[in-house]
Amino acid sequence: MFSIYKTVHPPTAIEHAVWAHFLSPLKNSLILSSANHLYVYRVTSHPSKFECLHTFVLWGNICSITPCRLNPSAILSKDALFLSFMDAKLSLIEFDSAIQDLKTLSMHYFEDELAKEGQWFNFSPPIVRVDPDMRCACMLIYNSKLVIIPFFSQLDREIITNDTIPNTT
């Protein structure tokens, strides 16, 4: 049976920190995670200080944060974030300026009995890395399995569609 879980106090230790163009394509934001909380900060120059702009409470403890730009050819595009969670879970999120909240772009779940290879507990958290050319992301799960998540541009989608759909004329 599941027991009831309630956070009495918000977490106080910072576990992950990344810089990304998360809120705006022109300004960098400092993104911090603390257990299941995600904080977005802006650094002001006069006087030099941190300003917390957004705090988001998530439904799981964050194991890693990796920023990526899904459309690297566009100059004014914001970054998205890969958030990994225990048991081979991965979410791709971005900030939606219209609603001032997070928008989930994709969710992936790679937990499988065959992939676990008999492990009862996953003692090392999943690790996510993004290709420098922004072509794909790679996630290490269960200490020995790699999961590749390709990024497709509109041109890639057109090429795949033209190659797979037979011409009827």
Side-chain angles (χ1 to χ4, degrees), residues 67-167:
C68 72
R69 183 153 301 169
L70 296 177
N71 191 2
S73 61
I75 297 170
L76 295 176
S77 67
K78 296 189 298 185
D79 291 340
L81 295 178
F82 276 107
L83 302 178
S84 71
F85 302 92
M86 288 305 284
D87 296 327
K89 296 177 184 85
L90 182 70
S91 294
L92 179 62
I93 62 168
E94 72 175 1
F95 183 76
D96 190 349
S97 302
I99 60 172
Q100 293 291 305
D101 204 358
L102 297 179
K103 182 170 80 173
T104 303
L105 300 177
S106 69
M107 295 174 69
H108 304 275
Y109 184 75
F110 301 107
E111 187 175 18
D112 183 25
E113 291 302 321
L114 293 175
K116 283 185 177 182
E117 295 179 341
Q119 289 184 16
W120 283 81
F121 296 101
N122 185 15
F123 292 110
S124 67
I127 300 169
V128 180
R129 296 294 181 256
V130 176
D131 173 39
D133 292 332
M134 302 297 171
R135 296 173 294 189
C136 66
C138 184
M139 181 175 175
L140 177 66
I141 58 173
Y142 304 120
N143 300 328
S144 61
K145 305 284 189 255
L146 287 177
V147 176
I148 307 293
I149 299 138
F151 303 155
F152 291 109
S153 66
Q154 186 61 33
L155 178 62
D156 294 335
R157 287 187 185 98
E158 290 172 6
I159 291 170
I160 291 170
T161 305
N162 290 339
D163 287 346
T164 57
I165 297 175
N167 193 353

Side-chain angles (χ1 to χ4, degrees), residues 19-57:
W19 284 102
H21 293 278
F22 190 60
L23 300 177
S24 163
L26 301 175
K27 293 183 181 177
N28 255 342
S29 302
L30 176 63
I31 296 126
L32 304 175
S33 77
S34 179
N36 65 335
H37 286 65
L38 192 70
Y39 304 101
V40 181
Y41 285 87
R42 172 177 60 194
V43 179
T44 60
S45 58
H46 300 293
S48 183
K49 65 178 182 175
F50 292 106
E51 200 177 324
C52 185
L53 300 177
H54 295 282
T55 301
F56 304 103
V57 179

